[in-house]
């Protein structure tokens, strides 16, 4: 599964790398809402939560649907500014229908297609559908959606005030701490882009991001099968310290593509693609292959030995071993007359972590 961004004909200046205070604050808010996604930041999240004033803590909980399971598109600026206040000013310039639709997608858990035909602000049927979706996700979501649809201006002002309070409570200090890391990463990316071109710059973003062979498309390894275009707008890449392990992409129609990527740690491991994870899960889903792996976990075996152990035919065992090899879970090596199959234990051991990384990415 991939998300594809069409960049055919895009001039070199259409690919931008820039830091965004609002995007990094959004990443921090996601950490506070889902600390389980970020075990390396658990202590930070606990310290911040314990120091929040009750009023701000309640405000964050009432609006956390804007950044908990996914981030509202307006929280990832296509044109990053130097300060949080400037970026919030840009958000204020978005019209109500666009803002409300983006907020409802994250609040209600529906797809953008549900709200594409007509705005819930003006269409009673769309409004009822949005409230039904929100109700199915819980009382807090329903209450937030009701307030948003009844008085979008008041909710927008309250959300902005909440984000401004976060700046004083914890963001300003955390932003100062990560500024050097972000600046260092941006220098590297822009230098690669200038000296070696788009492919090298994208390769440095993440092993899950690549330039298609024809150079006309950016391919992102995500759970979605989606496509969008950067024509007339460009693509913005925003580094994040607090975003790891997520790779967040704005790809909705009408929005400029934005990719928020985690700043790489020293000597990062190459991410395993979703396709490979899927192959491995499918390979393990068959009971016969699980039996073969149980034997191979004890040591290398030939195909004949496996067939004898489980009273299977040689062709049947060979077919199952071929599936396991394609999934990268087996290696074979010849010893004289015999070919022995060996289980790749590191790949099998890492499968759970690889699956989680692919899902969270």
């Amino acid at each position: 599964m991939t998300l594809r961004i069409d960049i055919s004909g895009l001039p070199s200046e259409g690919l931008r790398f820039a830091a965004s205070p609002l995007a990094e604050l959004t990443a921090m808010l996601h950490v506070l809402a889902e600390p389980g996604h970020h075990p390396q930041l658990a202590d930070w999240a606990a310290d911040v939560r314990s120091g929040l004033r009750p009023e701000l803590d309640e405000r964050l909980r009432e609006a956390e649907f804007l950044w908990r399971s996914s981030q509202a598109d307006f929280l990832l600026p296509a044109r990053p500014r130097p300060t949080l206040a400037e970026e919030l000013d840009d958000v204020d310039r978005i019209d109500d229908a666009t803002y409300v639709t983006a907020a409802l997608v994250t609040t209600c858990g529906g797809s953008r297609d549900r709200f594409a035909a007509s705005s819930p602000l003006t269409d009673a049927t769309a409004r009822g559908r949005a409230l039904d979706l929100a109700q199915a996700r819980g009382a807090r979501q329903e209450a937030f959606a009701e307030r948003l649809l009844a008085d979008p201006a008041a909710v927008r002002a309250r959300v902005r005030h909440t984000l401004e309070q976060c700046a004083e409570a914890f963001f300003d200090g955390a932003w100062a701490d990560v500024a050097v890391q972000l600046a260092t990463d941006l220098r590297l990316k822009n230098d690669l882009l200038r000296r070696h071109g788009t492919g090298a710059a994208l390769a440095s973003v993440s092993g899950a991001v690549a330039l298609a062979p024809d150079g006309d498309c950016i391919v992102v390894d995500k759970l979605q099968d989606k496509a969008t275009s950067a024509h007339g707008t460009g693509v913005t890449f925003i580094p994040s310290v607090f975003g790891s392990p997520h790779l967040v992409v704005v790809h909705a129609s009408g929005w400029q593509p934005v990719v928020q990527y985690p700043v790489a740690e020293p000597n990062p491991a190459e991410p395993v693609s979703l396709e490979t994870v899927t192959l491995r899960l499918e390979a393990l889903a068959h009971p016969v292959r699980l039996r073969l792996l149980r034997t191979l976990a004890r040591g290398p075996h030939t195909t004949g030995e496996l067939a004898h152990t489980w009273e299977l035919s040689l062709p049947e065992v060979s077919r199952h071993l071929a599936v396991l090899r394609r999934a990268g879970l087996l290696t074979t090596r010849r010893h004289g007359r015999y070919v022995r199959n060996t289980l790749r234990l590191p790949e099998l051991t890492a499968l759970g972590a690889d699956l989680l990384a692919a899902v969270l990415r």
Side-chain angles (χ1 to χ4, degrees), residues 132-285:
D132 286 344
L133 289 168
Q135 184 182 48
R137 301 193 76 193
R140 278 183 178 270
Q141 287 94 327
E142 182 183 18
F144 184 85
E146 286 178 344
R147 291 194 301 272
L148 181 66
L149 290 169
D151 192 349
V155 171
R156 293 180 65 164
R158 185 173 176 85
V159 169
R160 171 166 183 156
H161 187 219
T162 299
L163 297 177
E164 290 171 335
Q165 287 182 309
C166 289
E168 180 181 351
F170 62 87
F171 173 72
D172 286 347
W175 177 251
D177 289 341
V178 303
V180 173
Q181 284 178 266
L182 297 176
T184 300
D185 182 83
L186 288 173
R187 281 195 298 272
L188 171 64
K189 299 296 189 293
N190 284 307
D191 185 63
L192 283 170
L193 184 61
R194 183 177 62 257
R195 293 174 179 270
H196 302 288
T198 301
L202 293 178
S204 71
V205 167
S206 167
V209 180
L211 184 66
D214 60 9
D216 286 343
C217 186
I218 297 172
V219 181
V220 186
D221 185 49
K222 295 282 283 182
L223 281 173
Q224 310 100 309
D225 272 319
K226 298 285 185 180
T228 188
S229 172
H231 294 169
T233 60
V235 186
T236 300
F237 286 83
I238 300 174
S240 174
V241 171
F242 281 80
S244 179
H246 302 304
L247 189 64
V248 183
V249 185
V250 174
H251 58 82
S253 176
W255 294 85
Q256 177 181 319
V258 177
V259 179
Q260 185 186 40
Y261 64 92
V263 173
E265 299 176 357
N267 303 313
E270 187 72 16
V272 177
S273 71
L274 180 61
E275 180 183 8
T276 298
V277 172
T278 302
L279 277 175
R280 290 174 180 173
L281 291 175
E282 290 174 347
L284 296 175

Side-chain angles (χ1 to χ4, degrees), residues 28-352:
M28 293 178 192
L29 293 173
H30 173 74
V31 172
L32 293 177
E34 289 284 6
H37 290 187
H38 310 268
Q40 76 279 14
L41 294 170
D43 291 341
W44 176 87
D47 288 343
V48 170
R49 276 289 184 195
S50 66
L52 290 178
R53 290 182 292 105
E55 179 196 0
L56 179 55
D57 187 50
E58 177 57 29
R59 277 174 170 260
L60 291 178
R61 293 183 191 281
E62 75 178 29
E64 69 180 8
F65 322 111
L66 296 177
W67 50 73
R68 181 167 193 158
S69 59
S70 60
Q71 287 85 347
D73 290 336
F74 54 77
L75 295 175
L76 296 170
R79 302 281 179 175
R81 308 285 191 178
T83 68
L84 178 63
E86 290 174 287
E87 292 187 327
L88 291 175
D89 288 342
D90 287 343
V91 173
D92 287 344
R93 296 185 184 99
I94 299 171
D95 64 86
D96 280 348
T98 302
Y99 183 103
V100 168
T101 297
L104 287 175
V105 168
T106 55
T107 302
C108 301
S111 70
R112 290 166 178 81
D113 295 339
R114 292 178 182 269
F115 307 110
S118 55
S119 170
L121 290 177
T122 56
D123 184 270
T125 301
R127 176 190 177 90
R129 184 167 60 245
L131 291 175
D132 286 344
L133 289 168
Q135 184 182 48
R137 301 193 76 193
R140 278 183 178 270
Q141 287 94 327
E142 182 183 18
F144 184 85
E146 286 178 344
R147 291 194 301 272
L148 181 66
L149 290 169
D151 192 349
V155 171
R156 293 180 65 164
R158 185 173 176 85
V159 169
R160 171 166 183 156
H161 187 219
T162 299
L163 297 177
E164 290 171 335
Q165 287 182 309
C166 289
E168 180 181 351
F170 62 87
F171 173 72
D172 286 347
W175 177 251
D177 289 341
V178 303
V180 173
Q181 284 178 266
L182 297 176
T184 300
D185 182 83
L186 288 173
R187 281 195 298 272
L188 171 64
K189 299 296 189 293
N190 284 307
D191 185 63
L192 283 170
L193 184 61
R194 183 177 62 257
R195 293 174 179 270
H196 302 288
T198 301
L202 293 178
S204 71
V205 167
S206 167
V209 180
L211 184 66
D214 60 9
D216 286 343
C217 186
I218 297 172
V219 181
V220 186
D221 185 49
K222 295 282 283 182
L223 281 173
Q224 310 100 309
D225 272 319
K226 298 285 185 180
T228 188
S229 172
H231 294 169
T233 60
V235 186
T236 300
F237 286 83
I238 300 174
S240 174
V241 171
F242 281 80
S244 179
H246 302 304
L247 189 64
V248 183
V249 185
V250 174
H251 58 82
S253 176
W255 294 85
Q256 177 181 319
V258 177
V259 179
Q260 185 186 40
Y261 64 92
V263 173
E265 299 176 357
N267 303 313
E270 187 72 16
V272 177
S273 71
L274 180 61
E275 180 183 8
T276 298
V277 172
T278 302
L279 277 175
R280 290 174 180 173
L281 291 175
E282 290 174 347
L284 296 175
H286 198 289
V288 171
R289 291 195 281 273
L290 284 177
R291 292 177 193 144
L292 298 177
L293 286 177
R294 183 177 181 182
T295 301
L296 289 168
R298 294 171 170 81
H301 286 70
T302 66
T303 303
E305 289 171 336
L306 292 169
H308 176 75
T309 299
W310 293 104
E311 298 181 352
L312 299 168
S313 69
L314 282 171
E316 184 178 4
V317 172
S318 295
R319 286 195 299 271
H320 287 300
L321 292 177
V323 173
L324 292 168
R325 280 195 301 274
R326 284 196 298 271
L329 295 175
L330 286 185
T331 58
T332 58
R333 180 174 296 179
R334 177 173 291 280
H335 296 269
R337 296 170 50 200
Y338 302 101
V339 175
R340 297 193 179 278
N341 301 280
T342 302
L343 177 62
R344 299 180 66 170
L345 279 172
E347 284 73 11
L348 189 61
T349 302
L351 183 56

